[in-house]
Amino acid sequence: MAVHRLLVVFAIVAAIAPEISFATEFKVGGDEGWKLGVNYQDWAKGKQFIVGDTLVFNYKTGAHSVYKVNGTDFQNCNVPSNKSLGSFTGNDTIKLAAAGNKWYICGISGHCEGGQKLNITVLESAPAPSPSSAPILCAKETIFQILLGIILSIVAMIMVN
């Protein structure tokens, strides 16, 4: 009976491990954070944003804000009049829930015009790795998933008993 229970727990862990292992948290602007004077298009260049990833906007509370806008409002730096559409905590987290183009601006007067805005493209899933890197990438992910499965299985067995 204990072996059966262990197999069920391991199967559940194996099923959810890929979701856990693929999500990435991006600190917008890196060490600079969300502020004036950072080229966010350069920061985003070369990064792959995938559904399930998270953007974290770090800034001094009251000095900046984050609004998710459409492409036209992004180009024209139009801040929504509805303040409930913005984030103001200084540690704003936005989960990328759908694929497509995403646009973010600072709502403080003059900041968007000064370059404090970010445009990214979110992919549904990660593109297939190039043939030369595929074996290494798959090996790392497989090892991680196996270790995660073992650890979570042990924890589940301890909790069940």
Side-chain angles (χ1 to χ4, degrees), residues 2 4 6 10 18 21 27 31 42 51 57-58 61 63 65 75-76 89 99 102 107 120 133 136 140 156 159:
H4 176 69
L6 176 62
F10 187 76
S21 65
K27 294 187 189 298
D31 292 338
D42 282 350
V51 170
F57 292 82
N58 290 315
T61 305
S65 62
Q75 289 297 331
N76 298 320
T89 68
K102 308 295 178 198
I120 61 171
S133 65
I136 295 170
K140 288 180 183 176
M159 292 175 63

Side-chain angles (χ1 to χ4, degrees), residues 57-62 64 87-92:
F57 292 82
N58 290 315
Y59 56 92
K60 182 179 176 190
T61 305
H64 303 287
S87 299
F88 311 96
T89 68
N91 187 30
D92 303 324

